[in-house]
Amino acid sequence: MNRHAQILTALASGAIFGIGLSLSGMLDPVRVRGFLHVAGDWDPSLAFVLGGAVAVVMSGIFVRRRLQNPAFGDAFHLPATMPIDTRLITGSAIFGIGWGLAGLCPGPALAALSLGLAPVALFVVAMLVGMTIHDRLIAGRTNTPALRRAP
Amino acid sequence: MTSYWPSLIGGMLIGLSAAMLLLLNGRVAGISGILGRLAQGAQVETNAAFAIGLISGPLLYRVGAGQWPPVTITASLPVIALAGLLVGFGTRMGSGCTSGHGVVGLARLSPRSVAAVVTFLLAGVATVTLMRLVAP
């Protein structure tokens, strides 16, 4: 029962995320790179997207503080407070370089698969390869359970 | 002049999606985390359901708006492949991307997420600026 509710919630949440990305214009790498091009004809759209999203999630966090458990789950799976370390900064910098190169990040790339464009499919495959390389080579070596390192 | 309303409302829908996943399922809507767990075979049913929903999003948008959302690819295929590798590797190493750190992490006022967002924004700005200098 709860399992089915969880699956339906995840499906609906994913669909709303994808509709929001489509409406926001952030599926388009040109718009994303326009935001990153601060030295040129800057496109501030991404700031509106991020601002709108953060504002809504903040109200969700406010409600969450009054709940013991999520409606369909056993517990809130939120990452524990950890110090800012080299992995976080190095990883984020590597991600930022890739993001700037193509104007694609994981959410928009996955959503844009539905348009059937070959370069987007190539990006998603390369991204999955990159994730696997990290998890096989790096995460295994440092013995950090990659599964538990959500943001 | 471009109107920023669609961006703001689209962003609020993304926020609604993340708030819903948190309050109902107790999970963070971080796409790199969801994809990574899926690739590792963890919580396959819910993570696959989210991914299927996400991919169907532009399709549902097309039904409502009557046209596909624009996706303009200008980068060459080798650059796309390199970018994908870096994005996949970097988001796993940095434990998140624009959604996990950028949306949920910032809303939680997580110092780690603030540091991550500042870092990937600076790296993205530097990359785009350098590329425009080399090939305007």
Side-chain angles (χ1 to χ4, degrees), chain B residues 97-108:
Chain B
C97 59
T98 18
S99 49
H101 282 310
V103 175
V104 183
L106 287 190
R108 293 180 68 212

Side-chain angles (χ1 to χ4, degrees), chain B:
Chain B
M1 182 185 153
T2 324
S3 165
Y4 297 114
W5 283 110
S7 293
L8 185 66
I9 296 166
M12 291 174 80
L13 282 175
I14 293 170
L16 176 71
S17 150
M20 178 178 157
L21 199 67
L22 180 68
L23 295 177
L24 299 182
N25 283 7
R27 293 283 171 183
V28 172
I31 313 299
S32 59
I34 286 173
L35 269 181
R37 278 187 281 275
L38 199 54
Q40 291 176 341
Q43 302 132 37
V44 173
E45 287 173 325
T46 44
N47 288 325
F50 186 94
I52 291 166
L54 181 59
I55 296 171
S56 67
L59 220 82
L60 296 170
Y61 173 87
R62 187 184 186 276
V63 171
Q67 57 185 7
W68 288 104
V71 178
T72 325
I73 307 286
T74 49
S76 67
L77 291 182
V79 170
I80 291 273
L82 174 66
L85 281 173
L86 293 174
V87 167
F89 189 91
T91 52
R92 292 306 282 163
M93 189 177 194
S95 314
C97 59
T98 18
S99 49
H101 282 310
V103 175
V104 183
L106 287 190
R108 293 180 68 212
L109 304 174
S110 151
R112 271 174 65 85
S113 290
V114 174
V117 170
V118 169
T119 306
F120 64 63
L121 275 178
L122 286 177
V125 165
T127 305
V128 170
T129 308
L130 277 174
M131 285 174 78
R132 291 291 178 95
L133 280 177
V134 175

Side-chain angles (χ1 to χ4, degrees), chain A residues 13-129:
Chain A
S13 172
I16 295 170
F17 203 111
I19 294 168
L21 274 176
S22 305
L23 180 64
S24 74
M26 292 305 114
L27 283 191
D28 198 345
V30 169
R31 298 280 297 276
V32 173
R33 295 187 83 234
F35 176 78
L36 297 173
H37 194 212
V38 288
D41 42 350
W42 188 52
D43 177 354
S45 305
L46 196 147
F48 285 85
V49 180
L50 193 58
V54 168
V56 174
V57 177
M58 271 185 162
S59 45
I61 301 281
F62 187 76
V63 176
R64 173 246 176 283
R65 295 220 173 93
R66 276 148 188 76
L67 299 175
Q68 289 233 297
N69 289 308
F72 307 132
D74 51 343
F76 286 105
H77 298 270
L78 290 165
T81 312
M82 295 205 312
I84 296 165
D85 52 17
T86 320
R87 294 180 60 88
L88 178 81
I89 301 302
T90 311
S92 298
I94 293 172
F95 161 48
I97 294 168
W99 190 36
L101 280 176
L104 286 165
C105 56
L110 199 61
L113 277 180
S114 53
L115 276 82
L117 304 167
V120 176
L122 173 67
F123 181 90
V124 172
V125 170
M127 180 170 76
L128 290 172
V129 170

